[in-house]
Amino acid sequence: DSQFGLLFRAQKKPWVMTGSFFFAPASVDELHVFEWGAEIGAARHIQLASSLSLDLGVQIGLLHHPYSLHLKNDTAGTSGAAGTTGDSGDRIAFLASLKGRLIWHLDERVAASVWVAPGLTSQSRTHRVDGVPVWMHSEFRLESGITLLIRVF
């Protein structure tokens, strides 16, 4: 799934405090999911070269999983018209991950990074249509991405 987010980072060498807000919309057939969450953590900053550094840390947070499932109902009901039936709800899970971020400092205000974060959630999420799983996420997570970092202060 694609994930979009905002990262906050405060550094007092050699430590970094991080926070993030993220969201990940997904749709499969009649299922619509809009996961979002927030994480906070701390990392150890390691300067590898003058323009290259590495952050290794831990993050914890919450994940909100609202969903709606709308199935087409081709049979006429009491109103005599076909319609949809559905299910909707949400789930909240705790998150914990180890995060590694390789940062290339382009200048003193702009940097680019690649990161990977293996982790866990407190619950799995599965949605089924007629007993067949159409969307599944286990308790195990593996996130990765690229980030453009812009120094504001």
Side-chain angles (χ1 to χ4, degrees), residues 50-111:
S50 62
S51 63
L52 194 64
S53 64
L54 178 67
D55 289 352
L56 298 172
V58 172
Q59 289 192 301
I60 58 171
L62 291 174
L63 174 69
H64 186 220
H65 177 87
Y67 66 93
S68 62
L69 178 62
H70 299 283
L71 302 174
K72 293 180 181 151
N73 180 1
D74 295 330
T75 60
T78 56
S79 65
T84 60
T85 60
D87 176 30
S88 64
D90 61 352
R91 300 174 184 149
I92 295 182
F94 293 101
L95 300 172
S97 63
L98 302 174
K99 190 170 244 180
R101 180 181 301 276
L102 184 64
I103 304 169
W104 178 32
H105 304 272
L106 303 171
D107 66 29
E108 78 175 43
R109 290 203 158 290
V110 179

Side-chain angles (χ1 to χ4, degrees), residues 12-142:
K12 176 119 171 107
K13 290 183 181 178
W15 298 102
V16 178
M17 295 299 294
T18 60
S20 64
F21 175 77
F22 59 89
F23 61 96
S27 291
V28 178
D29 299 324
E30 297 92 1
L31 175 67
H32 304 286
V33 175
F34 191 85
E35 283 191 333
W36 63 273
E39 292 179 299
I40 190 166
R44 175 82 158 95
H45 182 78
I46 303 164
Q47 196 70 40
L48 301 174
S50 62
S51 63
L52 194 64
S53 64
L54 178 67
D55 289 352
L56 298 172
V58 172
Q59 289 192 301
I60 58 171
L62 291 174
L63 174 69
H64 186 220
H65 177 87
Y67 66 93
S68 62
L69 178 62
H70 299 283
L71 302 174
K72 293 180 181 151
N73 180 1
D74 295 330
T75 60
T78 56
S79 65
T84 60
T85 60
D87 176 30
S88 64
D90 61 352
R91 300 174 184 149
I92 295 182
F94 293 101
L95 300 172
S97 63
L98 302 174
K99 190 170 244 180
R101 180 181 301 276
L102 184 64
I103 304 169
W104 178 32
H105 304 272
L106 303 171
D107 66 29
E108 78 175 43
R109 290 203 158 290
V110 179
S113 74
V114 294
W115 56 273
V116 63
L120 298 169
T121 65
S122 60
Q123 62 178 293
S124 63
R125 297 160 318 279
T126 301
H127 296 285
R128 301 175 188 276
V129 174
D130 295 328
V132 178
V134 295
W135 197 87
M136 298 184 319
H137 279 200
S138 75
E139 292 93 353
F140 301 102
R141 296 173 61 93
L142 179 60

